Structure formats: C-alpha cells, structure tokens
Amino acid sequence: EDQVTQSPEALRLQEGESSSLNCSYTVSGLRGLFWYRQDPGKGPEFLFTLYSAGEEKEKERLKATLTKKESFLHITAPKPEDSATYLCAAINTGGFKTIFGAGTRLFVKA
Amino acid sequence: EAGVAQSPRYKIIEKRQSVAFWCNPISGHATLYWYQQILGQGPKLLIQFQNNGVVDDSQLPKDRFSAERLKGVDSTLKIQPAKLEDSAVYLCASSLNLAKNIQYFGAGTRLSVL
C-alpha cells in the first residue's frame, strides 16, 4: 500500500537553529514528491517538487532533497515566520493519486 | 490570477443532515481535487477529476458522499446524511493537468457535525 510518513510530528527551534524534516515514502512508482506549507486556517501552499533521486531545490532558507526512499526539507537559520505545518506528498505513476503525510508542525521561537 | 475559490468557509449541521460544498478552480486548470483534512492529519484525497471525468475516487465513501464537475469547471461535493466523524476541513485544489500536477489549494470549508 502506498504510504507517506513524516517525522518528527512537531519540532521546536530557536531562531537561527537549523534543522531537517524527514519524509519517507513507499509508492508504486514515484511520479513526483511535493512539499507544501500550511498556515492555520489556510490551504496548503506549494513549495517544491522533486522528480528523481539526487535532485535538490532551494528557496530562501529552505532546501529540499530526494533519495530513492525519502526526502528531506532542510531549514537554515529559521525565523519565527517559518512557523507552520510542512506537508510532504507523493504522486504515484499508476493512477496519479496524491498521498499526503501527516505533516510536521514547526515552531520557531524568537 | 484568481486562486481557487471555495464556499462556504464554515458550516455547522446536525448529524443525518445533508450539506454541499462548492469549488471554483483556477481558470484553465483541467484537474480538480477534493480532500478531507481531519484536525492534526494530512489531507486525504477523496476524489480527483480530469475535466469532467473521474480519475480516482477510491477513498470516497460512496454511500454518503457524492461529487460532480459539470462542464469541467466548477465542482460540488455533497454529504448525505452526515455523521459526526465527517467533521473536518474540506479542501479543493486544482492543477493544470495530470502531468503538471502542482496543486493550488483553496482556503477550505470547515464542517462541524453536531
């Protein structure tokens, strides 16, 4: 069964304290791996898409990487405004079905 | 560019009542998705349309949930009758097509079933 697992469930950081979020996936053929950010009361907002192992994408303080079994979202020198839930999603090649993980809730304290 | 529009934003009903949600995707987007997001969980795909055809509805509880996308643009999701466990946020998303599948989400409808 296709599955996406994210860890940790929650992460508390001090401003400037870098860390990484993990997304492990098991899908029957990966079409794409996506990272979204979700703020309270809002829908998810697209951050990155990765298609093949070894691929990396960067945007401001965020960097996403992909291996054959997992993806990492690295946050460098986070700021309080980076506080949000970060969701990982995988789309399989068979039926174009999107499977989301449960998310990591990030809290960055000033 | 206008985003994905959803209405209503909030709905409170009693169990066994019916409810409908509406979604207007980004203009030109062929693929439309409905998700259920229970508090503290990630979105769960309920149904996915490509134009007005269903691509996947394997996780849609078909005994009580129905969805349609007439003319391949707007979509409605209906629950009849509602149960307590249907309390959740219902998110609509759209993407250019199945291949270009970066999804853009609406703000969602928060449903409370009492």
Side-chain angles (χ1 to χ4, degrees):
Chain A
E1 182 183 344
D2 294 340
Q3 191 169 291
V4 174
T5 304
Q6 292 188 246
S7 62
E9 289 185 10
L11 181 62
R12 296 181 184 274
L13 300 174
Q14 288 291 129
E15 184 173 5
E17 179 186 1
S18 301
S19 188
S20 296
L21 283 55
N22 176 264
C23 170
S24 297
Y25 63 92
T26 306
V27 295
S28 51
L30 181 71
R31 173 171 294 275
L33 190 290
F34 297 77
W35 283 98
Y36 289 85
R37 169 187 171 134
Q38 187 173 28
D39 292 296
K42 296 187 177 181
E45 178 184 351
F46 170 75
L47 292 173
F48 302 107
T49 181
L50 303 163
Y51 293 106
S52 56
E55 191 174 358
E56 298 182 352
K57 295 274 181 72
E58 280 190 75
K59 179 181 178 181
E60 296 180 354
R61 297 178 291 282
L62 299 177
K63 178 180 178 180
T65 61
L66 182 66
T67 72
K68 289 187 177 179
K69 293 184 177 181
E70 55 192 351
S71 177
F72 294 93
L73 185 65
H74 307 278
I75 303 177
T76 302
K79 298 182 177 181
E81 54 261 41
D82 295 323
S83 296
T85 295
Y86 290 85
L87 294 163
C88 170
I91 295 182
N92 61 17
T93 53
F96 297 94
K97 184 176 177 179
T98 306
I99 305 111
F100 273 89
T104 293
R105 279 158 282 284
L106 175 66
F107 305 92
V108 182
K109 187 175 179 182
Chain B
E1 180 182 83
V4 176
Q6 289 190 248
S7 66
R9 282 301 314 273
Y10 306 93
K11 190 74 177 178
I12 300 174
I13 62 172
E14 296 193 350
K15 58 183 179 182
R16 291 188 289 273
Q17 286 187 324
S18 61
V19 64
F21 313 124
W22 173 81
C23 173
N24 182 235
I26 292 173
S27 177
H29 279 196
T31 312
L32 185 146
Y33 313 77
W34 282 103
Y35 290 90
Q36 179 192 61
Q37 187 173 26
I38 293 172
L39 189 63
Q41 298 182 17
K44 172 186 167 184
L45 180 67
L46 293 176
I47 189 167
Q48 179 177 340
F49 293 95
Q50 174 71 0
N51 297 309
N52 58 354
V54 175
V55 175
D56 187 285
D57 64 355
S58 58
Q59 298 190 103
L60 186 75
K62 297 180 184 67
D63 58 334
R64 298 185 299 107
F65 286 64
S66 64
E68 60 182 9
R69 190 183 184 197
L70 299 176
K71 301 181 181 178
V73 181
D74 292 9
S75 178
T76 56
L77 176 69
K78 296 179 182 178
I79 307 175
Q80 181 180 10
K83 293 185 176 181
L84 296 178
E85 58 261 37
D86 298 332
S87 294
V89 174
Y90 290 84
L91 293 164
C92 179
S94 69
S95 65
L96 196 59
N97 50 50
L98 287 174
K100 304 289 185 184
N101 42 23
I102 295 173
Q103 297 176 37
Y104 298 88
F105 285 81
T109 296
R110 182 175 297 277
L111 174 67
S112 296
V113 182
L114 306 178

